[in-house]
Amino acid sequence: MIFERKPLDIDKIKVTSGEVHIIKDRCKGCGFCIEYCPRDVLELSEEFNIKGYHPPRVKNPDNCVECHLCEMLCPEFAIYVTKKEDAKVSAR
Amino acid sequence: MKIGVYVCHCGGNISEVVDIKKVMEFAEQQGDVALVKDHAHMCSDVARKMLVDDIKEYGLDKVVIAACSPQFHGRTFMGTVEKAGLSPYVMEMANIREQCSWPHYYQPELATKKAKDIVKMAIVKARLDEPLEKKTSPIGKRVLVIGAGIAGIQAALDLGDAGFKVYLVEKEPSIGGKMAKLSRTFPTEDCAACILSPKMADVPANPNIELLTNTEIESISGFLGNYDVVAVRKPRYVDITKCTACDKCAEACPVVVPNEFDEGLSSRKAIYLPNPIAVPHAYVLDDKSCLGLFPLACSKCYDVCDAGAINYDEKPERINFTVDTIIVATGYEIFDPRKKKVYEFAKSKNVLTALDLERLISLEAEGTVLRPIGRRIAFIQCVGSRDELVGNEYCSRICCMYATKLSQLLKRADPKRDVYVFYVDLRAFGKGFEEYYKRAQRTGVKFIRGRVAELHEDSHTHKVRLKVEDTLTREIIESEFDLVILSVGLRPSEGTTKIADTLRLIKSPGGWLQEAHPKFRPVDTLADGVFICGCAQGPKDIPDTVAQASAAAARAIRLMNKGEYEVDPITAFVDEKLCSGCGICAGVCPYEAITIELKDGKRISRVNEVVCQGCGACVASCPSGAQQQRWFMTSQLHAMLSAALGEEV
């Protein structure tokens, strides 16, 4: 059965959360981080960086669970994640 | 040739309609008939002794029994004839009950005339019968049990204890099925987990049982004594021999999803223990909700696993094995109450299913309170059962009693509660059920006969307003409740439907698996060596399920224990002179018993007589009359037709 209801204990479950940092000027706009982020945290921004590329922008900051996938995939070492100290309540 | 004809009165079932004397006189006039007798009950021991004596005394070589359907007593009389030293296949039954006296009850004269025709047809067929001999085929001691709920577990344990090799296949990561979810069991109120978990633990401890969890059946081919099974083990990503169930992985996992075991009322992580009493007691990684394995996204669980049990590189594994018999115990699912829109399930906060309540009560007993249950509680019976509007005509058989159980558990936990059960009919049919229902009434649960017509949850107070007519007092009741429980019915599980297709099992109305005979072969199917038990066959409670599972195990043992089994010689065979090798027969054969082979440069159809079930499809399809079926030869069918049409034969 597909569950339509929200679990009753959802507000009590703690999960790790991360903060995404983007070094805009290193980015060459490949979009890997946006494409592969399993939590749909990022999107392409309109702005231009120093090289003339569109760097990503954080769209849903609360969705990040600090998995570091973007950090590992980025060919330019332009993105990294730090752990937020207060483990947040899961939002789903 | 000497044919003996026996006409049965069937204790009036036949003789009240058909004039037995006239039928006997008619039979006496037929050629080759040496003896005609009648008896009140041909199937009785005394009549069958008479039959044996007659065969020996008069030297009969063919026998016609004019009685009931061969489906009903064919085997009985075949055995009797065999006892007298004849081939069981020189016995013909003339069905003058199901096909004559019963349908033509109000036309006795015409019925008598028809009975004569039926007897004549049997006589002309008997004349052409050949004394076929039964064959035996070797059989091993390996069984496949599909589904490891309480039915599958019980069947597997019985077989394992008896020394048979059991492959127990379960698609979920833990065995235990639906019973593991229940709080207590009616009518004795045993805690479900307490009585189930020792049985679950016995499964891996039994040296004869090979437990395959997280595994689904892909295909099954072959026949009794030689079923080739292909199963696919889905990756678990956790080594069950290394996992210590320490929960560190689940703690680290950042993905939260609804927990199926608690019907989505609680949540779990993407790596989780299926349930507190899970067997095998190991975690499992749900790759559908995991952040990603390819490319590996997170690996937080791997980092914290001290036991080194996690392996992200596991792939689905195909497992092949051969078994002799199969027991299907694929169980049920609960009716999805969203289909019954009037009850506003999943839209209302305070409308739950009975299985939800089972989980809430179980979790409360374990010390977890997910939500308050409230003071005023109503149960609505027959949700998805006995309801043609949702296409389910059948009674789900357990809802009356589980509502009786749950209602009094709630009432006893807090006597100040008002607990109402709105029922259509209250069916307390099992051992101790009526007494249990009385006990619920004494506890103070109010049972009101009436189907709930309207249900509405207030958007502010979240109280649920019900409107229902008490059909005993004709009063209209309108009242508010804190919690409404839908007593949902059962429906066949997805696995049950799937396995019916794989094994070509017949389904009864409602989609449940059909047994070979509802009274005398309740766990057999029409596929040789395939047995069914538990809720796959129809809704039933735990005692009935366990009894049926043991019965299925016993029936399987009965087939395998001797090391060989008898095969009916009623199979198709090919007249090679006539066969052109066109292959139409191979195409229509539902058992894949026919192959087209080259013989001296000529294409010829060949029937595997062990696989052939004698359905006759190939015979009917053969354009050149090369396929023939023993005991139902074309010459015999022509003779019967001529007899029926009054032609001289």
Side-chain angles (χ1 to χ4, degrees), chain B residues 415-434:
Chain B
K416 283 184 205 134
R417 274 182 184 143
D418 292 321
V419 185
Y420 289 83
V421 177
F422 295 103
Y423 65 93
V424 181
D425 291 295
L426 214 115
R427 296 177 167 176
F429 55 91
K431 189 178 177 184
F433 288 9
E434 183 65 24

Side-chain angles (χ1 to χ4, degrees), chain A residues 1-10 12-16 36 38-39 65-69 72-73 90 92, chain B residues 253-254 256-258 260 263-267 269 291 295-298 300 334 336 338 345-346 352 356 370-371:
Chain A
M1 205 191 282
I2 303 147
F3 300 109
E4 278 180 35
R5 303 175 295 188
K6 212 167 100 181
L8 297 167
D9 61 353
I10 195 96
K12 296 182 191 115
I13 306 286
K14 296 200 165 171
V15 292
T16 52
Y36 282 95
R39 304 284 294 191
V65 293
E66 197 227 346
C67 77
H68 298 276
L69 183 63
M72 280 186 285
L73 287 171
S90 77
R92 222 188 116 99
Chain B
C253 178
V256 183
V257 289
E260 302 86 348
E263 295 292 300
L265 291 173
S266 75
S267 47
K269 296 293 187 63
L291 288 181
L296 186 61
C298 144
K300 284 189 200 298
I334 60 167
D336 185 346
R338 285 173 292 192
F345 181 74
L352 299 179
D356 292 339
L370 283 179
R371 56 160 289 162

Side-chain angles (χ1 to χ4, degrees), chain B residues 253-281:
Chain B
C253 178
V255 182
V256 183
V257 289
N259 186 352
E260 302 86 348
F261 189 71
D262 291 334
E263 295 292 300
L265 291 173
S266 75
S267 47
R268 63 162 172 85
K269 296 293 187 63
I271 187 163
Y272 66 106
L273 187 65
N275 65 64
I277 56 168
V279 170
H281 205 68

Side-chain angles (χ1 to χ4, degrees), chain B residues 382-577:
Chain B
C382 292
V383 177
S385 316
R386 305 176 65 198
D387 186 349
E388 281 159 49
L389 292 177
V390 294
N392 292 345
E393 225 179 308
Y394 54 84
C395 165
S396 291
R397 289 182 93 235
I398 62 167
C399 325
C400 284
M401 293 321 291
Y402 73 55
T404 304
K405 169 195 74 183
L406 290 167
S407 60
Q408 64 182 307
L409 287 178
L410 293 180
K411 181 77 184 171
R412 246 185 285 144
D414 180 359
K416 283 184 205 134
R417 274 182 184 143
D418 292 321
V419 185
Y420 289 83
V421 177
F422 295 103
Y423 65 93
V424 181
D425 291 295
L426 214 115
R427 296 177 167 176
F429 55 91
K431 189 178 177 184
F433 288 9
E434 183 65 24
E435 295 88 326
Y436 190 57
Y437 164 53
K438 285 271 157 62
R439 187 175 158 199
Q441 286 181 314
R442 279 200 305 273
T443 315
V445 176
K446 293 186 186 75
F447 289 87
I448 292 174
R449 204 182 82 175
R451 220 186 240 272
V452 172
E454 279 175 35
L455 182 152
H456 183 66
E457 188 179 82
D458 190 288
S459 53
H460 298 293
T461 60
H462 289 290
K463 298 244 184 214
V464 187
R465 191 163 191 82
L466 295 186
K467 192 171 177 184
V468 53
E469 184 192 356
D470 182 336
T471 52
L472 294 178
T473 63
R474 294 201 173 167
E475 250 180 290
I476 304 286
I477 302 170
E478 266 196 274
S479 188
E480 276 191 345
F481 293 89
D482 298 323
L483 184 63
V484 169
I485 303 296
L486 304 178
S487 291
V488 283
L490 314 187
R491 61 186 196 88
S493 70
E494 212 177 292
T496 299
T497 313
K498 225 176 106 184
I499 209 71
D501 292 343
T502 310
L503 286 168
R504 297 196 186 94
L505 301 178
I506 299 167
K507 283 186 271 186
S508 39
W512 310 97
L513 302 182
Q514 176 78 52
E515 61 279 9
H517 188 286
K519 291 176 186 74
F520 294 126
R521 293 175 69 193
V523 297
D524 297 14
T525 64
L526 291 176
D528 278 340
V530 179
F531 304 93
I532 49 178
C533 61
C535 286
Q537 182 261 347
K540 57 180 64 66
D541 59 9
I542 295 164
D544 284 1
T545 296
V546 172
Q548 228 186 20
S550 289
R555 294 290 290 175
I557 292 173
R558 170 185 164 273
L559 265 182
M560 295 181 292
N561 203 34
K562 273 191 288 187
E564 59 175 30
Y565 67 98
E566 282 178 346
V567 191
D568 258 329
I570 307 169
T571 50
F573 66 97
V574 186
D575 185 337
E576 293 186 0
K577 281 194 283 287

